[in-house]
Amino acid sequence: MPATAPAHHTAESHPSRPRWWTELPLVIVVYAVYSAGRLLARGDATTAVDHGLAILRFEQRWGLNAEHPLNRIFTAHAWVGIPADFAYATLHYLVTPAILIWLWRRRPASYRAARGWLMGSTLLGLIGFTLLPTCPPRLLEAGHGFVDTMAQYSAYGWWGGAASAPRGLGSLTNQFAAMPSLHVGWSLWCGVMLWRHGRGTAARVAGIAYPLLTTLVVMGTANHYFLDAVAGAAVMGAGLLLTPPVLRLVDRARERAGLRPAPGAAVAARSTAPAGARTAIPRPAAASNSTTSPSLITSPGPTTAPGPTTSPSATTSPNPAVPESGTATTVGGGCETSAGERIPRQPSRGGRPDGAATAGPATAGDGTPAAAR
């Protein structure tokens, strides 16, 4: 039977988890840059209102303004509106970091790419806030038919009239950062992570329900238009496409700087290889005086009775690397032979130093007929 190579357990098979004391500062710095960028990209109110009205008119023209009926339901029924306000104000701050930590602890091979996708998409959203400041529906004039549920139910929560910011801290948030909706974008990222890496039906159901629920909440509370939610999903799609080349550039920069590869980098590269691709395992180089191919796997087989006495040239090898023992075996193509036994067309061990065969299929080394099998 052909011998099978043993499994090789390497560091790539069990990737090391990134160090928390490097990951935590990185996440904090990126989020700080994002928050500061949001404040700097406020824009003037007139431009933001014009952008908001343009989006609303486009949706009304094509029948996409689902935020109108949802907002009426949320404002008419407190048992719907109050939980929705709490969900809008808290979930993206709780669920997103929780899933990121879960990936870091339980799925280290997938963590680096997932973290890169989330951060890259967040920075892309910041570009949208800068180029397209947009007034959310709740800040439009009352004649447009929207009610600010955060202000309506503010007595039940910690927020005031400035979105989900605590009372008195409204100046620390950019209320015109509505396009794209990163509430929807982050929830979509969470849903994909739950679907791909979660176990059981419950995780997959949550992976679908969470982004859908978030989309309904951001529209029903009049914090976003339907097209804001679509833009949030589009930003996450762009971030997903850009993440692999960005990670490759980072790895090349680390290599040129002489730094260690990032944990999980080799596994991430292997996981993105096309399906069915084989990973080559390097074989040891063959010695110049060896007559056995390095690709052959040698394993001890069952002991067989020695064959008839043969000439010395058939059992004694001029190669010092081969022991002069009558029990030495020659292996080729996964088959074993005992001393004095040959496989047709297999070169004998008494061949020339250059590895060429010196005997035909019917002779052994010195021309003596091969031993009976």
Side-chain angles (χ1 to χ4, degrees):
M1 294 293 292
T4 57
H8 295 275
H9 298 283
T10 63
E12 293 183 2
S13 301
H14 302 283
S16 60
R17 182 183 298 111
R19 298 178 178 89
W20 69 267
W21 57 85
T22 59
E23 286 299 307
L24 184 59
L26 176 63
V27 173
I28 292 175
V29 166
V30 171
Y31 185 75
V33 170
Y34 161 73
S35 300
R38 275 185 56 142
L39 291 176
L40 295 175
R42 291 186 179 187
D44 63 281
T46 302
T47 302
V49 170
D50 290 341
H51 289 160
L53 290 176
I55 293 174
L56 181 60
R57 294 189 188 103
F58 180 87
E59 290 185 354
Q60 290 173 336
R61 183 181 307 143
W62 296 99
L64 301 175
N65 56 322
E67 56 269 17
H68 266 122
L70 286 172
N71 184 243
R72 286 192 289 268
I73 294 174
F74 282 38
T75 54
H77 304 283
W79 63 273
V80 176
I82 294 175
D85 286 344
F86 274 98
Y88 180 83
T90 60
L91 287 186
H92 66 296
Y93 289 123
L94 299 178
V95 177
T96 309
I99 291 184
L100 193 63
I101 294 172
W102 168 67
L103 290 172
W104 177 77
R105 289 179 57 87
R106 301 294 185 181
R107 303 291 185 270
S110 304
Y111 169 79
R112 183 170 179 257
R115 180 254 289 153
W117 177 22
L118 178 64
M119 291 184 175
S121 301
T122 299
L123 296 179
L124 288 178
L126 181 60
I127 296 175
F129 302 151
T130 305
L131 299 179
L132 196 66
T134 303
C135 176
R138 65 185 180 81
L139 295 183
L140 294 176
E141 293 182 357
H144 294 288
F146 292 102
V147 175
D148 186 354
T149 62
M150 304 293 290
Q152 179 182 359
Y153 301 119
S154 62
Y156 297 90
W158 59 85
W159 54 83
S164 58
R167 292 181 181 87
L169 299 179
S171 60
L172 299 180
T173 183
N174 179 6
Q175 299 195 69
F176 297 148
M179 171 66 79
S181 171
L182 286 186
H183 273 75
V184 173
W186 288 359
S187 68
L188 182 60
W189 177 87
C190 293
V192 172
M193 294 301 106
L194 288 172
W195 179 272
R196 292 189 60 186
H197 304 295
R199 294 179 180 176
T201 305
R204 294 201 167 191
V205 170
I208 297 174
Y210 180 55
L212 291 179
L213 176 65
T214 302
T215 303
L216 295 177
V217 164
V218 300
M219 292 192 296
T221 57
N223 280 285
H224 289 282
Y225 304 96
F226 172 73
L227 289 183
D228 293 346
V230 173
V235 163
M236 298 307 295
L240 179 62
L241 295 176
L242 291 175
T243 298
V246 169
L247 291 181
R248 285 195 292 269
L249 288 175
V250 171
D251 291 337
R252 290 173 185 171
R254 293 176 64 92
E255 183 179 355
R256 291 177 181 177
L259 301 176
R260 294 174 55 189
V267 175
R270 186 177 59 191
S271 63
T272 56
R278 295 178 178 270
T279 303
I281 300 176
R283 302 177 184 273
S288 59
N289 62 346
S290 174
T291 59
T292 304
S293 171
S295 63
L296 301 179
I297 302 174
T298 305
S299 61
T303 305
T304 57
T309 304
T310 58
S311 74
S313 62
T315 57
T316 304
S317 171
N319 187 348
V322 179
E324 298 184 9
S325 171
T327 60
T329 60
T330 303
V331 180
C335 300
E336 285 192 7
T337 59
S338 60
E341 185 178 354
R342 298 189 64 258
I343 297 176
R345 300 187 180 181
Q346 180 186 10
S348 69
R349 294 175 303 194
R352 296 198 302 268
D354 59 357
T358 58
T363 61
D366 58 351
T368 306
R373 301 184 61 176

